[in-house]
Amino acid sequence: MKKAFPFVDIPDQYKEIIGEAAPGTRLYKTVGDRQQFRAWSDAVFEICAGEGAVSPGGASLYTYATRAGVHKRLKEGRLTGFCFSITTDSKLIKGRKTLEEGGRPYVYIPYSECKAWASELEERSKFEDIDSIKSEAAGSKKDLDDSFMLPSKDWRKKLK
C-alpha cells in the first residue's frame, strides 16, 4: 500500500501572506516589495518550522534529482513550493510597479518534503527498475523551463 506524501500543512493565518497556489499544484506565488518579502519569508519558515526550506537547487542536491526533476515535481503538484517576486517603482512611469529581475522569484521548498522524496526514491529503487526512477528524478529539457514560477500576468491587479 502506498503511503501518503507528507506535505507541509499551510495554517490559515499564513495563506494571505504566501499567496494562492497555482491551479493543480502546491506552488504558492505572490509579489510584493522588500518589506512584504520579510513577512513572506518569516511565514514560509514558520510553515517549514523545524527543518526549514531550501531552494530548488538545494532540493536537487539533497534528493539526487536534477533541477529539471524538481521543476517537474513542482509543476505536477507533488512538491510544495513558495515563490516571491519583488516589485519596485518604475523608473519610466510614475506610480507604476515593475518586477525586479524580470519577475524571477525567490523560491523555497520545504526540507521535510525533500527528505521524504529522497526516502521515497531510495525505497522505490529496491523494487523498481532504476532507469524509470532515474528518468523521473531527471526530468526533461522542457522541465528546465522555470517560467511556471513567474507571477501570473495579472499580478498588478493583486497588489496590496
Side-chain angles (χ1 to χ4, degrees), residues 5-6 11 15 18 25 37 39 61 73 83-84 102 109 111 118 131 152 154-155:
F5 192 79
K15 289 185 177 178
I18 63 165
T25 73
F37 174 80
L61 286 171
R73 197 162 172 112
C83 302
F84 190 95
I109 297 168
Y111 186 71
D131 289 334
S152 62
D154 64 346
W155 65 267

Side-chain angles (χ1 to χ4, degrees), residues 44-76:
V44 168
F45 281 93
E46 283 291 322
I47 292 166
C48 301
E51 296 183 323
V54 294
S55 68
S60 69
L61 286 171
Y62 187 82
T63 59
Y64 299 130
T66 63
R67 197 174 295 234
V70 172
H71 289 183
K72 178 181 178 184
R73 197 162 172 112
L74 283 167
K75 283 186 233 179
E76 293 172 348

Side-chain angles (χ1 to χ4, degrees), residues 97-117:
K97 296 284 185 188
T98 60
L99 296 170
E100 287 186 5
E101 304 289 329
R104 295 282 173 224
Y106 290 89
V107 180
Y108 291 131
I109 297 168
Y111 186 71
S112 62
E113 292 187 17
C114 295
K115 285 173 64 174
W117 183 22

Side-chain angles (χ1 to χ4, degrees), residues 2-34:
K2 195 174 187 178
K3 60 182 179 181
F5 192 79
F7 292 110
V8 294
D9 290 322
I10 312 294
D12 289 337
Q13 74 254 31
Y14 297 122
K15 289 185 177 178
E16 187 177 327
I17 297 170
I18 63 165
E20 296 178 18
T25 73
R26 292 185 52 85
L27 189 64
Y28 296 87
K29 301 191 282 187
T30 192
V31 297
D33 60 25
R34 291 183 179 275

